[in-house]
């Protein structure tokens, strides 16, 4: 490596003439030592290309040792290196030589930056599968042992993720050593190592023999679940799910449940939060009997926990918990042991808890049936529709389809209306936006008559909202309503109100008319578009505001494909030609775009079109419209691309020379 000629050597350099095949590695060294991080990063990402040029033997003998000795760089460079090496097996000669990749990855697995270590461990796990059992014990297992007994905690945390991939194919003697190392890490003095061990405990348990799980893993789980650090205890809860899936009901009751019950009442709210968050997985793992005897009482305590975060996490699992209960007796369990706590949470002091409840409570309708829904759940829905928090009301409205399936929405209609009106006029524009998105769903469930009477005016009011996103959403909403209720409803109810806005003194509202026409034209069809919408668009071509005029051109381009030859040739084309001579450059540009589309449409209809009417490519014409920055941006991108391609061509020549 020391004899490699640097890129700075002259063309007649004796070293380069003597061994020109070293040039690719010299380029790599030069870029790795460059002060520019991006150059070093690009060089690392080209490692596979360099390795191909060098060949498998020189990659093993020169490139990998060099990389191992120079792992002192920026984290993003090391991250790229760790990722590259995971796919390097074929470049070093295949599975027989996969062990050559272990030294650089071992070094990367000990660095301080967590993301680099994690990526190195991921690559090591990938490479371990390519080792034969003999090579695994000869090369990979010693690496794991070195990491597990390293002086610095970073290596020991990395080792935790490697035990599960090497254990299944190891001999019994080596398996015992691996288990011993894992036990040591579970009782390590450093909390970070114990956290890493706890996070991999469940994964390791899955590859162990059942006796080893009972004798060794369960005691480790109990110790970690009672660790002095709550960050360790909460990870033990996650491991509990995997361990519970491996044990019988009797073993579960004796070995695991006492610890799990204690975790559900842990002094740290983070641990209780983790129990609540993993509740559905725990329920499936322990089975129905233990769920009824142990988990339901624990869940009740979580629903009335003193910390709002815990209550919210538990509430999110209410629907899943109820769905996973045994069908026989499920209704009784929910009514007697779950619903009383839910009723209290409807008026919880924390809005996040109420928001979480509103997102899942509607799902209980299909589980409890019509009678229980009307008697017990309906009053809760009505109370939530009157809640002071808009997100609560919004979550109820967004899940109305569940109620509609069971009892029909009429039961809620009178309470729905005030809630919808309040949300529609909410000061937060995102709340208004959300309720607009649910309006087509509400319309379908409430029916046309109720919608026209109560909600139509709201939909029209959104068209003149002061926030553009609301006006845009309201336009799309009208299109969906027309698709739901039909063109006759649109012609009598929506289109006249939209077209009246064309005379509004506010130019933004006049533009909204054009946006609505763009959206409604396809849904309403050719007849309504030609007879009612087109005359208004043509009239607006004389608007005093340039923004309105160029949107007229865009609208004519949009609705052009729906019009017949007479309308295009006799009405649309003259207006577009006039706009093409407009004093505003934007109007000219969009008019020319529209003329091109109209000409293509006329050709399809076999109508003769002059060649001059075809849209010309942008040229030096002084009337050609260039959007701001377009020329500079495109030229810059093109030159940058050409420069990169030139550099890649040069690099490829260097690489080929090294073959």
């Amino acid at each position: 490596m020391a004899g490699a000629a640097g890129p700075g050597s002259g063309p007649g350099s004796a070293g380069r003439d003597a061994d020109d095949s070293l040039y690719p590695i010299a380029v790599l060294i030069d870029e790795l030592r460059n002060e520019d991080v991006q150059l070093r990063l690009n060089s690392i990402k080209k490692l596979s290309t360099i390795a191909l040029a060098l060949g498998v033997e020189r990659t093993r003998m020169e490139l990998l040792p060099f990389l191992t000795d120079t792992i002192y760089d920026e984290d993003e460079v090391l991250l790229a290196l760790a990722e590259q090496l995971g796919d390097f097996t074929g470049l070093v000669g295949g599975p027989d030589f996969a062990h050559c990749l272990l030294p650089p990855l071992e070094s990367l697995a000990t660095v301080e930056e967590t993301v680099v270590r994690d990526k190195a461990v991921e690559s090591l796990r990938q490479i371990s599968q390519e080792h034969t059992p003999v090579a695994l014990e000869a090369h990979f297992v010693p690496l794991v042992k070195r990491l597990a007994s390293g002086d610095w905690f970073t290596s020991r945390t990395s080792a935790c993720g490697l035990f599960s991939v090497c254990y299944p194919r190891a001999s019994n003697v080596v398996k015992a050593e691996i288990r011993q190392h894992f036990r040591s890490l579970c009782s390590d003095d450093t909390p970070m190592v114990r956290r890493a061990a706890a996070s991999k405990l469940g994964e390791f348990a899955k590859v162990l023999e059942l006796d080893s799980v009972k004798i060794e893993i369960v005691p480790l789980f109990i110790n970690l679940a009672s660790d002095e650090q709550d960050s360790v205890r909460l990870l033990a809860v996650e491991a509990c799910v995997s361990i519970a899936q491996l044990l019988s009901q009797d073993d579960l009751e004796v070995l695991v449940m006492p610890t799990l019950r204690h975790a559900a009442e842990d002094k740290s709210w983070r641990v209780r939060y983790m129990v609540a968050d993993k509740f559905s997985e725990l329920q499936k793992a322990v089975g129905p009997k233990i769920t009824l005897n142990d988990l339901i009482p624990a869940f009740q305590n979580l629903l009335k926990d003193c910390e709002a975060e815990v209550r919210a996490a538990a509430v999110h699992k209410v629907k899943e918990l109820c769905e996973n209960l045994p069908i026989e007796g499920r209704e009784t369990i929910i009514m007697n042991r779950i619903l009383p706590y839910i009723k209290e949470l409807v008026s919880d002091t924390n809005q996040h808890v109420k928001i979480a409840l509103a997102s899942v409570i509607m799902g209980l309708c299909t589980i409890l049936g019509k009678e229980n829904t009307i008697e017990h759940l309906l009053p809760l829905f009505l109370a939530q529709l009157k809640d002071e928090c808009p997100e609560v009301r919004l979550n109820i409205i967004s899940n109305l389809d569940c109620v509609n399936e069971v009892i029909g929405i009429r039961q809620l209609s009178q309470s729905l209306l005030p809630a919808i009106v309040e949300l529609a006029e909410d000061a937060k524009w995102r709340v208004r936006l959300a309720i607009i998105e649910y309006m087509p769903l509400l319309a379908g469930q409430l029916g046309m008559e109720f919608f026209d009477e109560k909600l139509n005016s709201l939909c029209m009011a959104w068209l003149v909202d002061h926030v553009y996103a609301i006006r845009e959403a309201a336009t799309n909403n009208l299109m969906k309503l027309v698709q739901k209720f039909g063109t006759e409803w649109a012609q009598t109810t929506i289109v006249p109100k939209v077209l009246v806005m064309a005379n509004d003194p506010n130019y933004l509202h006049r533009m909204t008319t054009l946006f609505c026409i763009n959206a409604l034209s396809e849904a309403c069809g050719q007849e309504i578009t030609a007879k009612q919408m087109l005359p208004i668009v043509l009239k607006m071509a004389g608007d005093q505001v340039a923004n309105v005029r160029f949107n007229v051109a865009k609208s004519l381009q949009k609705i052009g494909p729906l019009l017949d030859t007479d309308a295009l040739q006799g009405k649309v084309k003259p207006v577009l030609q006039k706009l093409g001579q407009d004093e505003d450059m934007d109007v000219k540009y969009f008019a020319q775009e529209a003329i091109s589309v109209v000409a293509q449409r006329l050709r399809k209809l076999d109508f003769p079109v002059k060649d001059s009417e075809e849209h010309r490519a942008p040229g030096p014409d002084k009337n050609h419209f260039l959007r701001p920055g377009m020329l500079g941006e495109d030229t810059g991108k093109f030159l940058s691309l050409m420069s990169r391609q030139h550099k890649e061509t040069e690099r490829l020549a260097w690489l080929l020379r090294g073959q």
Side-chain angles (χ1 to χ4, degrees), residues 413-429:
S413 59
Q414 295 306 315
S415 297
L416 266 178
L417 190 59
I420 293 171
V421 171
E422 285 183 24
L423 289 169
E425 299 171 352
D426 194 273
K428 299 176 184 176
W429 70 269

Side-chain angles (χ1 to χ4, degrees), residues 164-205:
S164 61
V165 293
C166 62
Y167 186 88
R169 293 188 291 156
S171 63
N172 291 334
V173 175
V174 175
K175 284 182 177 180
E177 294 176 0
I178 292 173
R179 294 198 301 271
Q180 176 57 43
H181 278 289
F182 191 81
R183 284 199 301 273
S184 300
L185 293 178
C186 287
S187 57
D188 195 276
D189 293 335
T190 308
M192 286 81 81
V193 178
R194 299 200 301 275
R195 276 205 298 270
S199 67
K200 300 297 181 181
L201 182 64
E203 177 185 290
F204 189 46

Side-chain angles (χ1 to χ4, degrees), residues 211-425:
D211 289 341
S212 297
V213 172
K214 294 179 185 178
I215 297 171
E216 299 186 45
I217 294 297
V218 170
L220 293 177
F221 162 69
I222 294 172
N223 290 336
L224 291 170
S226 58
D227 193 275
E228 61 181 12
Q229 296 282 333
D230 62 354
S231 59
V232 177
R233 300 200 300 273
L234 65 87
L235 290 171
V237 173
E238 192 170 349
C240 181
V241 177
S242 300
I243 296 172
Q245 292 170 344
L246 303 172
L247 300 176
S248 65
Q249 290 286 304
D250 293 338
D251 289 334
L252 268 177
E253 187 63 52
V254 175
L255 301 175
V256 174
M257 289 313 300
T259 304
L260 183 56
R261 282 193 289 266
H262 182 73
E265 299 173 354
D266 195 277
K267 61 183 179 181
S268 170
W269 72 267
R270 291 180 179 86
V271 178
R272 302 196 303 274
Y273 176 91
M274 182 60 78
V275 174
D277 189 56
K278 298 292 179 183
F279 212 88
S280 298
E281 292 94 323
L282 288 168
Q283 180 187 6
K284 293 175 183 176
V286 301
K289 182 179 177 182
I290 294 178
T291 295
L292 295 179
N293 296 335
D294 291 285
L295 291 193
I296 295 295
F299 193 71
Q300 292 171 334
N301 291 332
L302 293 172
L303 287 174
K304 59 179 183 179
D305 195 275
C306 59
E307 291 291 339
E309 288 84 354
V310 178
R311 298 199 301 275
V315 162
H316 272 299
K317 302 297 177 181
V318 164
K319 181 184 175 185
E320 290 181 55
L321 172 75
C322 295
E323 286 176 338
N324 294 329
L325 289 171
I327 296 178
E328 185 179 352
R330 178 169 62 182
E331 184 179 318
T332 304
I333 296 169
I334 297 173
M335 296 299 297
N336 296 333
R337 304 179 68 179
I338 302 295
L339 195 59
Y341 294 89
I342 292 176
K343 289 180 178 178
E344 293 180 11
L345 292 172
V346 168
S347 56
D348 195 274
T349 54
N350 186 280
Q351 67 174 10
H352 296 292
V353 176
K354 294 189 290 184
I355 292 170
L357 180 61
S359 67
V360 297
I361 191 173
M362 307 289 270
L364 297 180
C365 295
T366 53
I367 299 173
L368 292 178
K370 183 174 182 179
E371 293 183 6
N372 286 325
T373 296
I374 293 174
E375 183 178 353
H376 297 283
L377 294 181
L378 191 58
L380 303 183
F381 300 156
L382 297 175
Q384 289 174 306
L385 282 171
K386 298 174 183 176
D387 194 276
E388 60 183 12
C389 178
E391 284 83 0
V392 174
R393 304 194 298 270
L394 194 59
N395 279 346
I396 291 294
I397 290 172
S398 65
N399 290 288
L400 281 174
D401 51 332
C402 299
V403 180
N404 195 37
E405 289 177 16
V406 180
I407 63 172
I409 208 168
R410 289 290 175 179
Q411 298 270 4
L412 280 172
S413 59
Q414 295 306 315
S415 297
L416 266 178
L417 190 59
I420 293 171
V421 171
E422 285 183 24
L423 289 169
E425 299 171 352

Side-chain angles (χ1 to χ4, degrees), residues 467-514:
V467 177
Y468 172 75
I470 301 298
R471 299 197 299 273
E472 182 183 35
T475 301
N476 294 330
N477 173 54
L478 289 184
M479 178 183 67
K480 293 174 183 176
L481 290 174
V482 171
Q483 292 171 346
K484 191 171 289 290
F485 290 151
T487 54
E488 290 186 11
W489 174 82
Q491 189 171 9
T492 57
T493 308
I494 295 297
V495 174
K497 294 179 181 179
V498 168
L499 299 182
V500 167
M501 292 170 56
N503 300 318
D504 195 288
N506 188 327
Y507 85 96
L508 293 174
H509 299 168
R510 299 199 297 275
M511 285 172 60
T512 301
T513 300
L514 294 172

